[in-house]
């Protein structure tokens, strides 16, 4: 694997672990506000982010590359409402999508078709994550300040089940 691609994938491990950390912070904030269903949704999301990090971690090892584990930045949440959290979630996913696309572009340029194929799963996954984030924002925006309705949505989100990633590294 080319050094520049290995470096970008290493950085992506850190970004995915930070995503897990950020969503745990969202979980914290939402639990404190009593929105346990929304909190649960982000707790599951944090588990998925850890899975993303581990997939890239395993892919690097599978390609005989060293994984350079870097410090994870402290997440910072300055939310005033559930909607603020949901918007911050979407903004973060857009940042991650751009980062995955950057690696994808370099993989294509370097003719690293194995990495390109590996990243295909992530490109699709990011599409789904942005769609989910947008959907949550749309629904919470319609509800506005109606805390009773938000509470019903909260109950619905409490049912989200964890599913391991469909991708495996062999
Ligand atoms: Fe793994 Fe939500 O990006």
């Amino acid at each position: 694997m080319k050094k520049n691609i290995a470096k970008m994938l290493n950085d992506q491990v850190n970004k995915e672990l930070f995503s897990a950390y950020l969503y745990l912070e969202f979980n914290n904030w939402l639990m404190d506000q009593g929105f346990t269903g929304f909190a649960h949704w982000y707790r599951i999301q944090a588990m998925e982010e850890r899975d993303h990090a581990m997939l890239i971690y395993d892919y690097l090892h599978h390609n005989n590359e060293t994984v350079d584990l870097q410090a994870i930045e402290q997440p910072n949440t300055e939310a005033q409402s559930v909607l603020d959290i949901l918007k911050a979630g979407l903004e973060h996913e857009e940042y991650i999508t751009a980062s995955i696309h950057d690696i994808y572009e370099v993989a294509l340029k370097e003719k690293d078709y194995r990495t390109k194929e590996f990243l295909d799963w992530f490109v699709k996954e990011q599409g789904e994550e942005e769609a989910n984030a947008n959907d949550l924002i749309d629904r919470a925006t319609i509800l506005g300040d109606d805390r009773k309705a938000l509470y019903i949505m909260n109950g619905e989100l409490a049912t989200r089940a964890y599913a391991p990633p469909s991708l495996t590294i062999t």
Side-chain angles (χ1 to χ4, degrees):
M1 185 184 292
K2 291 266 173 59
K3 289 273 165 281
N4 54 345
I5 294 178
K7 166 82 171 68
M8 290 178 96
L9 287 170
N10 260 290
D11 290 346
Q12 193 64 33
V13 170
N14 185 273
K15 288 175 188 175
E16 300 290 347
L17 289 173
F18 173 75
S19 304
Y21 224 40
L22 179 68
Y23 293 148
L24 270 185
E25 179 63 15
F26 288 2
N27 176 281
N28 265 335
W29 190 92
L30 290 159
M31 289 288 281
D32 288 348
Q33 300 291 318
F35 286 104
T36 52
F38 281 90
H40 171 80
W41 196 93
Y42 278 108
R43 190 185 173 101
I44 299 289
Q45 194 60 36
M47 290 163 75
E48 288 199 0
E49 299 303 349
R50 177 210 54 200
D51 291 341
H52 297 168
M54 291 312 295
L55 282 170
I56 302 168
Y57 177 96
D58 288 342
Y59 179 75
L60 282 163
H61 275 294
H62 192 69
N63 284 276
N64 237 354
E65 292 292 335
T66 304
V67 179
D68 175 28
L69 290 174
Q70 303 148 21
I72 302 167
E73 194 188 324
Q74 182 177 12
N76 186 6
T77 309
E78 286 171 1
Q80 303 295 325
S81 65
V82 171
L83 193 54
D84 283 351
I85 292 280
L86 302 180
K87 285 180 176 170
L90 175 62
E91 195 181 321
H92 183 70
E93 285 307 327
E94 287 170 346
Y95 160 72
I96 293 293
T97 297
S99 181
I100 294 283
H101 287 185
D102 284 348
I103 312 172
Y104 199 98
E105 267 179 44
V106 175
L108 279 180
K109 199 165 141 252
E110 300 282 9
K111 297 189 174 10
D112 182 348
Y113 299 119
R114 191 188 304 153
T115 297
K116 178 249 162 226
E117 201 202 10
F118 169 68
L119 290 175
D120 278 338
W121 184 88
F122 283 85
V123 170
K124 190 159 175 272
E125 176 76 5
Q126 282 309 120
E128 284 171 17
E129 295 207 337
E130 284 190 28
N132 288 340
N134 266 308
D135 179 58
L136 290 179
I137 290 170
D138 287 348
R139 291 171 61 194
T141 303
I142 289 167
L143 301 181
D145 293 331
D146 185 345
R147 286 180 74 84
K148 225 178 191 174
L150 263 184
Y151 191 73
I152 292 169
M153 184 177 170
N154 181 67
E156 205 184 295
L157 295 182
T159 63
R160 183 181 184 186
Y162 166 73
S166 55
L167 179 68
T168 50
I169 309 299
T170 53

